[in-house]
């Protein structure tokens, strides 16, 4: 049984997990300041996290989704995404957004399976905002692919 809950300010930030999805500690610390970190637990073991941040009055964004490597491929990421969608609806958001790299094939598939639609591409995002080059699946990560899911009409 997986339990997902917001981390309190008493909790240590699970940087090791967050770094699985975003290699920049500076970027992570930046969006943690404005977002809420949720963690998935199996018994006492933290196995996944996501960060949900308000972008505007009616829009929230999932800033990071990460699952412990030994738990990947078991549907935990999908549970985290569905939890984020439920949290966004509860908060009264009209739209939930998420972004990922052009080279993140598994993430792009997951987000679309969860109902997200491609909305835009921020060209050279990872070249401008990250000091080190990122490669996934043999592809250089250069562009941010943005997706969104409409929760309720304006």
């Amino acid at each position: 049984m997986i339990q997902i809950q917001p981390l309190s300010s008493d909790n240590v930030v699970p940087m090791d997990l967050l770094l699985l999805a975003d290699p920049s500690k500076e970027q992570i610390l930046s969006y943690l300041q404005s977002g809420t970190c949720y963690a998935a637990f199996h018994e006492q073991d933290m196995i996944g996290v996501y960060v949900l941040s308000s972008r505007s009055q009616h829009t929230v964004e999932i800033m990071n989704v990460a699952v412990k490597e030994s738990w990947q491929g078991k549907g935990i990421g999908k549970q985290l995404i569905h939890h984020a969608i439920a949290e966004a609806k509860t908060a009264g958001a009209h739209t939930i957004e998420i972004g990922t790299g052009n080279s993140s094939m598994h993430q792009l598939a997951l987000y679309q399976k969860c109902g997200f639609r491609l909305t835009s591409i921020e060209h050279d995002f990872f070249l401008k905002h990250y000091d080190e080059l990122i490669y996934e699946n043999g592809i250089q990560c250069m562009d941010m692919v943005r997706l969104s899911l409409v929760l309720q009409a304006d």
Side-chain angles (χ1 to χ4, degrees):
M1 176 88 170
I2 305 302
Q3 301 237 341
I4 302 173
Q5 60 196 45
L7 291 179
S8 69
S9 55
D10 302 352
N11 293 102
V12 174
V13 173
M15 193 58 72
D16 58 332
L17 277 175
L18 293 166
L19 285 166
L20 291 175
D22 187 335
S24 171
K25 191 172 184 177
E26 293 75 25
Q27 291 284 337
I28 293 168
L29 292 172
S30 170
Y31 54 72
L32 279 174
Q33 289 179 356
S34 62
T36 302
C37 187
Y38 292 81
F41 292 91
H42 177 261
E43 297 170 359
Q44 300 301 316
D45 190 20
M46 188 183 301
I47 60 170
V49 292
Y50 74 87
V51 177
L52 194 63
S53 182
S54 179
R55 303 298 285 162
S56 70
Q57 183 179 357
H58 299 293
T59 303
V60 296
E61 182 174 358
I62 302 170
M63 303 298 293
N64 186 312
V65 179
V67 176
K68 197 175 193 179
E69 289 173 349
S70 60
W71 282 86
Q72 290 177 7
K74 298 179 180 178
I76 307 303
K78 184 179 273 188
Q79 287 182 51
L80 291 168
I81 298 292
H82 286 299
H83 188 272
I85 292 167
E87 288 293 313
K89 286 180 180 177
T90 300
H94 295 190
T95 305
I96 186 168
E97 299 177 342
I98 194 164
T100 193
N102 60 283
S103 55
S104 302
M105 301 307 168
H106 296 294
Q107 292 87 335
L108 283 166
L110 171 63
Y111 303 152
Q112 291 177 84
K113 287 176 186 176
C114 291
F116 286 79
R117 305 266 322 260
L118 297 169
T119 53
S120 65
I121 297 172
E122 291 181 49
H123 292 280
D124 297 330
F125 178 89
F126 292 95
L127 300 177
K128 292 175 186 171
H129 299 285
Y130 289 77
D131 294 333
E132 295 181 25
L133 297 179
I134 302 168
Y135 287 87
E136 295 176 288
N137 302 304
I139 302 167
Q140 184 176 359
C141 184
M142 295 185 283
D143 306 320
M144 170 77 77
V145 179
R146 307 221 26 95
L147 303 93
S148 66
L149 174 64
V150 175
L151 304 171
Q152 54 183 308
D154 287 326

